[in-house]
Amino acid sequence: MVTPAGHTLTIDQDRLWSDLTGLAAITEPDRPWTRRSFSPRFLEGRAFLTRRFQEAGLAVRLDAAGNLIGRLAGQDPQAPVIMIGSHSDTVPSGGRFDGVAGVLAGLEIIRAAADAGIRFNHTIEIVDFLAEEPSDYGLSCVGSRGMAGVLSEDLLGLGGPGGETLAAAIDRIGGDVSRLHEAKRDDVAAFLELHIEQGPVLECTGTDVGIVTAIAGVTRLEIVFKGATGHAGTVPMPGRRDASVAAAKAILAVRDTAATMAAGDNGYFAGTTGVVDILPGGANVIPGESRIIADLRCERRDTVTAFLATIKPQLERIADSEGCELATRLLSDNPPADCDTDLRRLLEAMSEAMGISSLSLTSGAGHDAAFVSRIAPAAMVFVPCRGGLSHCPEEWSEPGQIATGTDLLFKVVQNFDARNSRGILRDKQIDGVRPDDATAPRHTG
Ligand SMILES: [Zn+2]
């Protein structure tokens, strides 16, 4: 089959599309397209994936962190794993492609390889990571954190619906928190994640795929102003301590400071205030307290440090000018994750060889790959999505766009598998095995 971009596919676009629509159909009926992690629909989706994995000849298991893993043993038992994956859970009223595309792309690669009679040296694993989207337990990327060994006791104790802890929820869906250390991996040679871009850049530039340079760090800063409440009609304007006015000025300060950072030579930077609570919230009451949360995304760690150093004196001046007290607190602070340079080069080289256009992009959104990059070389491929929309029912990518990205991943897996098998043996210093090609690239580090 030939894509609109004129590229001849080696994967089966119709088979891939049929699974995308099949899995999408497993949704809360009155709220498409919803498959919340830990819910009955989510487990139905996983049963669908399990069947498809098994039909493709994969051995299927759940790891202790609740990740669904399909495994195809490689010909070289010493070679570490090539892992492909993403997530099958969605946000409420989410889309049909976010996450799912990356899991099914991995599955299609396995099937396309079987059709072509290709046998991999490395073991290939396809992973559906547990709860990538913010879950009802107040945590995202649950499964990939588990695989990276950073799902701490604190996080496992987070409470959710009905008082169930995250730990209990992981056990309920088939994980085993008592053996969580077993989910941590040190045998992955490369991790690849295909994902819809969730932004407009590829569509606007007419580019086939995005090759991700880094997954932005996410820092959330809570800003609380305490003023004085009073009657909106009787308290004169001079001398008011209106906490909502302080919040409004702070929102502008966050926007302006972020815009300055983004315009400088700082890599990708974005700042958004998405939570605004005004208390007590009466039309005839001067707000005595306000709480806002600034969400900061950075490609370079030092830029968020610089942002915080710049915004804090501004917030103090705002509090002073409005007669309010100020309290700030970091709610979360995850560093950016760089994608592996060798894998990025391979993605670029294979795109070029295939005649498809590519662009280097920073991911402003978080992904499982950010956590997996702590334990293995990781890279991401973005495919375009219509209007840059995601996390909404309108989310859409064309069959050919997803198929093109999947085909690129297939070529990269084949190339990596052929080039790195001996390099891996050398790196692992296995007795009696000496690669005759001393220039074989290192896969680790
Ligand atoms: Zn996603």
Side-chain angles (χ1 to χ4, degrees):
M1 184 177 279
V2 180
T3 67
H7 162 66
T8 305
L9 290 170
T10 51
I11 59 112
D12 187 333
Q13 176 179 309
D14 293 340
R15 184 169 56 188
L16 174 58
W17 187 253
S18 146
D19 277 349
L20 279 162
T21 50
L23 188 48
I26 303 170
T27 170
E28 301 293 340
D30 52 347
R31 202 170 48 151
W33 307 90
T34 304
R35 205 170 39 253
R36 298 289 290 147
S37 53
F38 302 101
S39 71
R41 293 283 172 210
F42 173 71
L43 296 175
E44 270 181 61
R46 283 200 149 177
F48 173 97
L49 282 173
T50 301
R51 278 196 306 278
R52 288 289 188 273
F53 282 5
Q54 286 169 340
E55 285 161 10
L58 299 175
V60 183
R61 71 180 193 278
L62 268 182
D63 74 5
N67 298 309
L68 180 73
I69 303 176
R71 179 180 176 96
L72 180 72
Q75 300 199 89
D76 179 352
Q78 308 290 353
V81 171
I82 299 174
M83 189 177 274
I84 306 166
S86 196
H87 60 97
S88 70
D89 65 320
T90 73
V91 298
S93 300
R96 286 163 278 188
F97 306 94
D98 178 346
V100 170
V103 180
L104 292 175
L107 171 63
E108 179 50 32
I109 287 168
I110 297 288
R111 296 187 295 211
D115 290 350
I118 294 165
R119 294 190 60 195
F120 295 111
N121 291 317
H122 295 69
T123 292
I124 314 280
E125 288 191 347
I126 314 302
V127 183
D128 170 26
F129 290 101
L130 178 64
E132 190 272 347
E133 304 288 3
S135 65
D136 292 342
Y137 305 82
L139 191 70
S140 59
C141 294
V142 172
S144 48
R145 284 176 205 262
M147 191 174 279
V150 294
L151 196 50
S152 63
E153 286 295 326
D154 283 2
L155 298 176
L156 289 167
L158 288 167
E164 187 184 40
T165 62
L166 177 61
I170 292 171
D171 285 354
R172 171 167 59 78
I173 58 97
D176 183 354
V177 168
S178 70
R179 297 187 296 112
L180 196 58
H181 59 280
E182 292 174 21
K184 186 175 179 190
R185 301 289 294 269
D186 62 0
D187 61 339
V188 180
F191 174 74
L192 297 161
E193 180 171 4
L194 176 143
H195 205 280
I196 60 166
E197 183 201 344
Q198 301 183 271
V201 176
L202 295 176
E203 185 179 75
C204 289
T205 55
T207 309
D208 294 321
V209 295
I211 298 170
V212 178
T213 55
I215 299 154
V218 185
T219 300
R220 298 223 169 94
L221 178 67
E222 180 188 63
I223 303 163
V224 176
F225 293 104
K226 284 211 170 100
T229 189
H231 194 290
T234 60
V235 179
M237 295 304 289
R240 283 191 179 196
R241 298 169 58 207
D242 184 334
S244 74
V245 176
K249 288 182 170 178
I251 292 168
L252 291 173
V254 167
R255 194 274 309 266
D256 293 346
T257 308
T260 306
M261 300 293 301
D265 188 18
N266 299 307
Y268 185 79
F269 196 93
T272 308
T273 304
V275 172
V276 182
D277 295 329
I278 304 293
L279 296 171
N284 61 349
V285 184
I286 300 166
E289 185 173 332
S290 61
R291 172 182 175 266
I292 63 174
I293 297 177
D295 173 293
L296 312 168
R297 309 279 169 140
C298 66
E299 182 178 1
R300 277 183 20 209
R301 181 69 191 164
D302 57 333
T303 57
V304 82
T305 311
F307 177 95
L308 293 172
T310 311
I311 198 80
K312 282 197 175 148
Q314 294 185 56
L315 296 174
E316 280 158 15
R317 282 197 294 277
I318 290 166
D320 271 358
S321 70
E322 297 307 319
C324 293
E325 284 162 34
L326 168 71
T328 59
R329 184 166 66 114
L330 277 185
L331 298 179
S332 61
D333 191 22
N334 287 314
D338 288 332
C339 288
D340 182 69
T341 312
D342 289 343
L343 287 175
R344 277 172 51 197
R345 279 205 202 101
L346 186 53
L347 282 162
E348 277 161 18
M350 296 315 290
S351 312
E352 227 177 282
M354 290 164 68
I356 62 175
S357 52
S358 72
L359 199 66
S360 288
L361 291 175
T362 303
S363 174
H367 293 290
D368 291 309
F371 283 98
V372 181
S373 76
R374 299 183 184 200
I375 52 155
M380 288 193 79
V381 175
F382 280 167
V383 296
C385 55
R386 188 193 290 162
L389 293 176
S390 71
H391 286 190
C392 59
E394 295 77 25
E395 181 182 293
W396 184 260
S397 284
E398 293 297 332
Q401 293 175 322
I402 296 175
T404 300
T406 304
D407 217 33
L408 169 61
L409 226 52
F410 184 29
K411 299 288 193 316
V412 165
V413 168
Q414 287 176 72
N415 193 287
F416 185 93
D417 184 58
R419 282 201 309 157
N420 287 267
S421 189
R422 285 172 174 162
I424 284 154
L425 291 174
R426 183 186 57 187
D427 288 346
K428 291 227 156 184
Q429 296 183 326
I430 291 159
D431 288 339
V433 180
R434 288 189 61 82
D436 49 16
D437 177 6
T439 63
R442 289 178 60 87
H443 70 283
T444 52

